[in-house]
Amino acid sequence: MPGDLPMPTAMFTADELAVIRRAYAHQVVATAATTNPRIEAAFATVSREKFLGAPPWQIANLGGGYRPLPSSDLVLAYQDVLFALQPDKGVNNGSPSLHARLLAELDIRIGDRIAHIGAGTGYYSAILSELVGTSGHVYAVEMDPDLAAHAQAALADRANISVVNADGSQWPQQEVDAIYVNFAVARPAAPWIERLRPGGRLVLPLGVPRQDRPPKGGRHASHGAALRIERGEGGFPARWIGTAYFVCANGGLAIDDSEIEALTAAFRRGGIEFVKSLLWKTEPRIGRCWHIGDQWALCYDDA
């Protein structure tokens, strides 16, 4: 844990915690409906408490807001719930089962080079580092300097991760095998499309920000969907994974009101589950697209 922060307490032995972590991982992948044993092993290996900050920890309520946990016992980290990282900004260590489902869609292989955009304090970067192995590499990109500093400290023992304090819309800066985005965006950033290697995969939450911003907490998506996009031989096959709501992007991916209105209208019409391709800097066929943005579109035709 970075700095001189108070440490969580431990009411279980290291061996007992290892068993608890294995049980947590088994539950997470079952809830995610994935049978990938490598993802389960990664969740069983990584110590989540290193990435949650100082106790007392707060978890998200279903109806909004947060509540503190009554204890700082390490075992409480191993629940399929959202822990607050920056409650004033609505930034959380997100749902493990949702991330397990999205990570399964990345088809991560040993030796892959992956950009993790919106890495937060690095918990899911650590999961990715387990999945790519010692021959792979993870670029954990986080714009907030405090979160990036926490990630740097928590991931210092992992030689296959580089923590980058930067605007995620500018990364990756080299070709990669996969890109994993952990905030809601209303359009993909150019590097996420153009720096995918052939066969590379991108998983991102598409979403539009709520019009009402709560006095406390960040601006979350009012409509949201996770998408998988691949760089194919002749285009970009795309498909809907499921509903996903993340805190919305800042920095270089903030969009104007007209773009928000157009994407909101597309969500309200429905049909994103039938999307089959992403068009990038290509003239779309009117009437064949779910949404047409500025130099990109999501369409019903195969790539």
Side-chain angles (χ1 to χ4, degrees):
M1 310 252 320
D4 297 321
L5 297 176
M7 296 293 289
T9 56
M11 296 182 67
F12 294 82
T13 67
D15 287 345
E16 288 171 332
L17 272 174
V19 174
I20 289 164
R21 201 177 287 118
R22 282 175 50 209
Y24 153 83
H26 194 62
Q27 292 167 354
V28 162
V29 298
T31 303
T34 176
T35 56
N36 188 318
R38 295 180 59 240
I39 291 177
E40 181 170 340
F43 275 93
T45 300
V46 176
S47 299
R48 192 183 189 192
E49 64 272 11
K50 289 176 59 178
F51 304 92
L52 299 183
W57 293 326
Q58 298 182 69
I59 62 172
N61 292 318
L62 287 177
Y66 299 93
R67 59 183 171 88
L69 289 174
S71 163
S72 59
D73 185 5
L74 288 179
V75 74
L76 298 181
Y78 296 100
Q79 307 177 66
D80 188 19
V81 296
L82 283 71
F83 282 79
L85 299 178
Q86 292 179 330
D88 58 321
K89 298 179 181 178
V91 176
N92 306 312
N93 181 260
S95 163
S97 59
L98 172 61
H99 282 273
R101 183 181 180 190
L102 299 182
L103 290 168
E105 296 286 346
L106 273 180
D107 297 327
I108 301 166
R109 299 146 197 169
I110 296 292
D112 274 354
R113 302 181 77 78
I114 295 181
H116 182 197
I117 311 295
T121 56
Y123 177 56
Y124 297 105
S125 304
I127 300 287
L128 286 165
S129 82
E130 291 287 327
L131 295 172
V132 302
T134 56
S135 60
H137 200 83
V138 178
Y139 299 94
V141 183
E142 173 53 51
M143 186 169 72
D144 184 279
D146 293 333
L147 295 176
H150 189 141
Q152 187 73 60
L155 298 168
D157 59 343
R158 292 180 177 270
N160 66 345
I161 298 183
S162 300
V163 177
V164 182
N165 181 202
D167 188 325
S169 67
Q170 305 301 312
W171 279 77
Q173 297 191 344
Q174 59 284 306
E175 285 195 338
V176 294
D177 300 290
I179 299 170
Y180 188 45
V181 181
N182 281 171
F183 49 79
V185 294
R187 60 181 171 85
W192 305 350
I193 304 299
E194 295 171 2
R195 293 186 181 135
L196 273 182
R197 288 179 177 153
R201 293 83 59 202
L202 163 66
V203 168
L204 82 162
L206 188 73
V208 290
R210 292 170 49 184
Q211 294 305 304
D212 58 318
R213 185 168 189 149
K216 289 188 177 180
R219 198 177 186 189
H220 282 76
S222 61
H223 303 276
L227 297 173
R228 182 192 192 274
I229 297 164
E230 183 172 338
R231 183 168 203 139
E233 291 184 6
F236 295 93
R239 60 181 168 81
W240 176 77
I241 300 169
T243 302
Y245 296 95
F246 283 72
V247 70
C248 292
N250 292 313
L253 282 167
I255 61 171
D256 63 30
D257 289 344
S258 63
E259 290 181 279
I260 291 174
E261 288 174 8
L263 187 55
T264 300
F267 272 111
R268 287 176 175 164
R269 283 194 306 271
I272 192 172
E273 63 269 29
F274 302 113
V275 162
K276 292 184 178 180
S277 64
L278 168 86
L279 288 184
W280 186 252
K281 297 182 179 178
T282 302
E283 194 67 29
R285 292 174 57 194
I286 303 300
R288 296 301 305 156
C289 295
W290 175 78
H291 172 67
I292 298 174
D294 182 13
Q295 299 191 74
W296 73 284
L298 290 170
C299 299
Y300 300 123
D301 299 317
D302 290 321

PDB file of all heavy atoms in Angstrom, residues 1 6 73 79 91 169 223:
ATOM      1  N   MET A   1       0.853  -1.180   0.000  1.00  0.00           N
ATOM      2  CA  MET A   1       0.000   0.000   0.000  1.00  0.00           C
ATOM      3  C   MET A   1       0.889   1.231   0.000  1.00  0.00           C
ATOM      4  O   MET A   1       1.902   1.268   0.685  1.00  0.00           O
ATOM      5  CB  MET A   1      -0.886   0.002   1.246  1.00  0.00           C
ATOM      6  CG  MET A   1      -1.588  -1.296   1.456  1.00  0.00           C
ATOM      7  SD  MET A   1      -3.341  -1.355   1.145  1.00  0.00           S
ATOM      8  CE  MET A   1      -4.018   0.118   1.733  1.00  0.00           C
ATOM      9  N   PRO A   6      -2.897   3.417   7.021  1.00  0.00           N
ATOM     10  CA  PRO A   6      -3.240   2.334   7.933  1.00  0.00           C
ATOM     11  C   PRO A   6      -3.537   1.060   7.156  1.00  0.00           C
ATOM     12  O   PRO A   6      -4.118   1.100   6.079  1.00  0.00           O
ATOM     13  CB  PRO A   6      -4.476   2.857   8.662  1.00  0.00           C
ATOM     14  CG  PRO A   6      -5.025   3.939   7.791  1.00  0.00           C
ATOM     15  CD  PRO A   6      -3.855   4.536   7.083  1.00  0.00           C
ATOM     16  N   ASP A  73     -11.263  -5.975   8.144  1.00  0.00           N
ATOM     17  CA  ASP A  73     -10.731  -7.314   7.965  1.00  0.00           C
ATOM     18  C   ASP A  73     -10.476  -7.593   6.486  1.00  0.00           C
ATOM     19  O   ASP A  73     -11.338  -7.326   5.639  1.00  0.00           O
ATOM     20  CB  ASP A  73     -11.724  -8.322   8.548  1.00  0.00           C
ATOM     21  CG  ASP A  73     -11.211  -9.755   8.516  1.00  0.00           C
ATOM     22  OD1 ASP A  73     -10.054  -9.964   8.135  1.00  0.00           O
ATOM     23  OD2 ASP A  73     -11.979 -10.656   8.853  1.00  0.00           O
ATOM     24  N   GLN A  79     -15.516 -10.006  -1.957  1.00  0.00           N
ATOM     25  CA  GLN A  79     -16.934 -10.004  -2.260  1.00  0.00           C
ATOM     26  C   GLN A  79     -17.102  -9.457  -3.674  1.00  0.00           C
ATOM     27  O   GLN A  79     -16.297  -8.657  -4.136  1.00  0.00           O
ATOM     28  CB  GLN A  79     -17.698  -9.085  -1.300  1.00  0.00           C
ATOM     29  CG  GLN A  79     -17.496  -9.327   0.164  1.00  0.00           C
ATOM     30  CD  GLN A  79     -18.262  -8.289   0.970  1.00  0.00           C
ATOM     31  OE1 GLN A  79     -19.490  -8.260   0.948  1.00  0.00           O
ATOM     32  NE2 GLN A  79     -17.551  -7.436   1.687  1.00  0.00           N
ATOM     33  N   VAL A  91     -15.598   6.964  -8.595  1.00  0.00           N
ATOM     34  CA  VAL A  91     -14.635   5.994  -9.125  1.00  0.00           C
ATOM     35  C   VAL A  91     -14.536   4.816  -8.165  1.00  0.00           C
ATOM     36  O   VAL A  91     -14.291   4.994  -6.969  1.00  0.00           O
ATOM     37  CB  VAL A  91     -13.245   6.646  -9.312  1.00  0.00           C
ATOM     38  CG1 VAL A  91     -12.235   5.607  -9.779  1.00  0.00           C
ATOM     39  CG2 VAL A  91     -13.340   7.794 -10.319  1.00  0.00           C
ATOM     40  N   SER A 169      -6.968   8.556 -23.948  1.00  0.00           N
ATOM     41  CA  SER A 169      -7.310   8.736 -25.362  1.00  0.00           C
ATOM     42  C   SER A 169      -6.064   8.782 -26.245  1.00  0.00           C
ATOM     43  O   SER A 169      -6.176   8.677 -27.462  1.00  0.00           O
ATOM     44  CB  SER A 169      -8.115  10.017 -25.557  1.00  0.00           C
ATOM     45  OG  SER A 169      -7.326  11.168 -25.297  1.00  0.00           O
ATOM     46  N   HIS A 223     -27.111   5.346 -20.321  1.00  0.00           N
ATOM     47  CA  HIS A 223     -27.254   4.157 -21.171  1.00  0.00           C
ATOM     48  C   HIS A 223     -25.848   3.600 -21.332  1.00  0.00           C
ATOM     49  O   HIS A 223     -24.899   4.355 -21.508  1.00  0.00           O
ATOM     50  CB  HIS A 223     -27.818   4.510 -22.547  1.00  0.00           C
ATOM     51  CG  HIS A 223     -29.144   5.205 -22.509  1.00  0.00           C
ATOM     52  ND1 HIS A 223     -30.343   4.523 -22.404  1.00  0.00           N
ATOM     53  CD2 HIS A 223     -29.473   6.511 -22.557  1.00  0.00           C
ATOM     54  CE1 HIS A 223     -31.344   5.390 -22.393  1.00  0.00           C
ATOM     55  NE2 HIS A 223     -30.835   6.607 -22.485  1.00  0.00           N
TER      56      HIS A 223
END
